[in-house]
Amino acid sequence: MMEMLKAGIKSTFKKTEKTMDERLNAIRAGVLGSNDGILTVVGVLFSVAGATTNQFAIFIAGLADLLGCALSMASGEYASVSSQTDSEKVVVKAEEALLKTDFPAQHQVVTNFYMERGVSKTTASHIADELLHDKPLATVLSIKYDITLGHYVNPWDAAWASLFSAALGGAFPLLALMLAPVKYQFLATIAATAVAVALTGFLSAKLSDGLVGKAVVRNVAIGMLTIAIHYGVGLFFNNLRSFCYTFSHELGIIKAC
């Protein structure tokens, strides 16, 4: 029985292509990037649309924001995940040093880990002996920090996933605005935004085992609120500009605003 238990424990330390954390790292970055791309682009589109009816100006503003958002998300993900990877590597070096300077304490940590899970003290000690003999560093890292030795989240995976998903997400409202007939372009943009943010809400809930319906409704509500706020801001400044122009014209002031 004890041999079977040891074999099962050893199998957890075998090197695989990618751990689940490594895979989820890119998926998480992709979902967040997509959501940010959608909301920032639609926000800019409606802000500018509230201030001007110039279609080219609206398109250029949306395109510029799409590119800026994608690059910003990618650089942010790279910096964030790099910090996490650096922290994990620091922990690895610290535990490697502890194994050399205070091996009994590390042995006790592993023994206590299995005792807390219902294994007898004698059996837990035997398991610790064998694991620390075969793969000491991998064992300690897995037990103390849930880190798999040699597997660190890749900042480039997160950066590329965020870059492409932010660009793809932002393309939804931008293409809807540009391709739909002028009469229906804003309705088409709102519809495209609702579908896109609902999809990201669905995916994020599925990946995190959350409440799908609540996530979808929350994302759609945030998307609609984003549109309303940005359009209101654009409208406000457009009216303010008109007021300033009228006021300065009446006073005979040229280009006061």
Side-chain angles (χ1 to χ4, degrees):
M1 180 68 180
M2 192 173 80
E3 291 302 319
M4 290 177 64
L5 180 60
K6 289 179 182 177
I9 294 165
K10 285 181 181 179
S11 68
T12 63
F13 300 128
K14 287 183 179 178
K15 190 176 179 72
T16 57
E17 284 190 22
K18 276 192 177 183
T19 63
M20 183 59 70
D21 284 343
E22 288 174 298
R23 293 190 183 96
L24 289 177
N25 169 51
I27 295 172
R28 173 200 56 78
V31 171
L32 291 176
S34 177
N35 205 56
D36 275 16
I38 296 163
L39 295 180
T40 56
V41 171
V42 78
V44 168
L45 289 175
F46 274 85
S47 291
V48 179
T52 180
T53 57
N54 187 309
Q55 296 296 301
F56 184 71
I58 296 172
F59 171 74
I60 290 299
L63 181 61
D65 182 74
L66 185 151
L67 296 174
C69 173
L71 292 172
S72 175
M73 287 295 297
S75 61
E77 282 292 340
Y78 181 83
S80 175
V81 176
S82 292
S83 297
Q84 180 183 343
T85 302
D86 291 344
S87 297
E88 290 177 351
K89 289 179 179 178
V90 168
V91 166
V92 170
K93 288 184 179 179
E95 291 302 323
E96 193 173 16
L98 282 174
L99 283 167
K100 295 176 181 178
T101 59
D102 197 3
F103 185 84
Q106 299 290 66
H107 185 280
Q108 189 60 50
V109 168
V110 178
T111 301
N112 291 342
F113 176 83
Y114 289 104
M115 286 177 61
E116 289 169 2
R117 282 150 184 78
V119 179
S120 67
K121 183 176 181 180
T122 303
T123 302
S125 182
H126 286 318
I127 293 172
D129 288 339
E130 187 158 342
L131 290 177
L132 290 173
H133 178 268
D134 293 342
K135 295 185 177 182
L137 185 56
T139 299
V140 171
L141 290 172
S142 176
I143 286 173
K144 293 176 73 173
Y145 304 100
D146 196 25
I147 295 175
T148 303
L149 182 62
H151 287 272
Y152 308 106
V153 286
N154 190 329
W156 284 110
D157 285 349
W160 285 117
S162 187
L163 176 71
F164 288 118
S165 61
L168 183 61
F172 270 84
L174 184 60
L175 289 175
L177 186 77
M178 291 299 105
L179 298 178
V182 175
K183 185 177 179 180
Y184 303 108
Q185 63 181 178
F186 291 111
L187 289 177
T189 304
I190 292 171
T193 301
V195 170
V197 294
L199 182 59
T200 57
F202 174 82
L203 291 174
S204 63
K206 280 293 185 181
L207 291 172
S208 60
D209 293 324
L211 300 174
V212 174
K214 188 174 181 179
V216 169
V217 171
R218 179 174 60 242
N219 265 27
V220 172
I222 291 172
M224 297 304 102
L225 183 61
T226 298
I227 290 173
I229 291 174
H230 282 80
Y231 185 73
V233 169
L235 206 59
F236 170 77
F237 282 106
N238 184 46
N239 290 334
L240 180 62
R241 185 189 62 161
S242 298
F243 172 78
C244 285
Y245 178 81
T246 302
F247 184 71
S248 62
H249 182 72
E250 288 179 354
L251 294 178
I253 303 172
I254 299 175
K255 295 183 179 179
C257 293

